[in-house]
Amino acid sequence: MQHPPHQSLQVAAIPSLRPRPAAMPKPRVPAREEDGPWHAEAVCRRDEAGLFFAPSKEPTAARLAREEAAKRVCARCPVMVACREHALLQPEPYGVWGGLTAAERRVVLARRRRRAAELRQAPGAGPIAAAG
């Protein structure tokens, strides 16, 4: 079973934290066949895993610099969109995923909810209007 690239790298980086096979958490959504390939192609799997999650009590300036560095890694990633959608569908509450911070993902999700509500409330919002 493959795990999102950030999760597997964090655990793999510290041998004492590697879970035993029975201790692996269950994924929040059933794995789909198309999920596997994007994980394997993620640029963050290589060596920048520490950029994507904040250490405890990280100063604001350090956090902003780390997040910008993580976003630069994401910008050159061939699977950035798939990673972002994964993080939005889960939803992932921490870290940089698909070039977005947790706060930025919350904004995207709020916009999507607001747009969906507007489409439901729009007069004459039938299947054709909702698809647009």
Side-chain angles (χ1 to χ4, degrees):
M1 170 171 67
Q2 288 188 347
H3 294 281
H6 305 307
Q7 178 184 358
S8 61
L9 282 174
Q10 277 189 325
V11 172
I14 305 170
S16 63
L17 294 180
R18 287 186 190 135
R20 290 180 216 107
M24 283 295 211
K26 291 183 180 180
R28 285 184 255 178
V29 295
R32 295 183 316 252
E33 191 172 304
E34 62 269 14
D35 283 345
W38 78 263
H39 292 247
E41 298 297 319
V43 172
C44 62
R45 288 185 68 94
R46 295 183 181 91
D47 60 5
E48 296 98 347
L51 291 176
F52 297 91
F53 293 92
S56 64
K57 300 182 183 178
E58 181 180 34
T60 301
R63 177 182 54 82
L64 293 172
R66 180 187 48 74
E67 288 174 345
E68 284 306 312
K71 288 178 177 187
R72 285 193 299 275
V73 172
C74 291
R76 69 176 198 262
C77 184
V79 295
M80 182 182 75
V81 173
C83 178
R84 179 179 295 173
E85 285 305 312
H86 164 83
L88 291 168
L89 291 173
Q90 289 302 315
E92 292 290 346
Y94 305 106
V96 175
W97 288 80
L100 297 177
T101 64
E104 292 166 336
R105 289 191 305 276
R106 285 190 295 272
V107 170
V108 170
L109 289 170
R111 286 180 182 157
R112 285 183 179 184
R113 283 190 299 271
R114 193 168 41 250
R115 177 72 174 141
E118 288 170 359
L119 288 173
R120 283 191 303 271
Q121 293 175 355
I128 295 173

